[in-house]
Amino acid sequence: MSEVLSFKIVGGEEIVASVIKTLHANGVDNTPTGWVVRRPHILRFQPVAPGQVGLAFVPWTLSNPEIDRIEIPASAVLLTFAPSDNVEKQYLE
């Protein structure tokens, strides 16, 4: 099973995706140059009831939400981190 990671993108979006592969430049060091991911989704706040909001997953690639793989370059990422157990569970459903 692939690892689920959150990516904070330079543009401010927070993306949750299944990491297929972490890319490295010629194996020189441990610093990633990018990630190949599956099912990237943006986390968005969405009204669920009057005065209440919840998190919603929106496909990152709206023009083709069925895209199987996408590469996220490290230059576009501010940081990566493990999502909370609740967010990961909702993403996997």
Side-chain angles (χ1 to χ4, degrees):
M1 182 175 219
S2 57
E3 175 185 21
V4 175
L5 277 181
S6 291
F7 297 84
K8 190 66 170 182
I9 301 298
V10 173
E13 296 171 322
E14 193 166 313
I15 297 167
V16 178
S18 295
V19 176
I20 298 169
K21 183 178 182 180
T22 301
L23 305 172
H24 299 278
N26 301 322
V28 175
D29 59 24
N30 243 358
T31 304
T33 58
W35 296 265
V36 177
V37 300
R38 178 180 296 123
R39 292 186 51 235
H41 281 70
I42 300 169
L43 281 173
R44 293 270 165 94
F45 285 111
Q46 176 175 320
V48 292
Q52 295 181 344
V53 294
L55 284 176
F57 290 98
V58 178
W60 190 30
T61 53
L62 291 175
S63 63
N64 184 357
E66 302 300 319
I67 197 165
D68 186 47
R69 294 172 163 220
I70 194 165
E71 184 178 324
I72 302 174
S75 61
V77 176
L78 292 173
L79 65 125
T80 63
F81 53 95
S84 70
D85 290 341
N86 186 41
V87 169
E88 183 174 356
K89 181 181 174 187
Q90 288 179 351
Y91 169 79
L92 292 172
E93 289 176 358

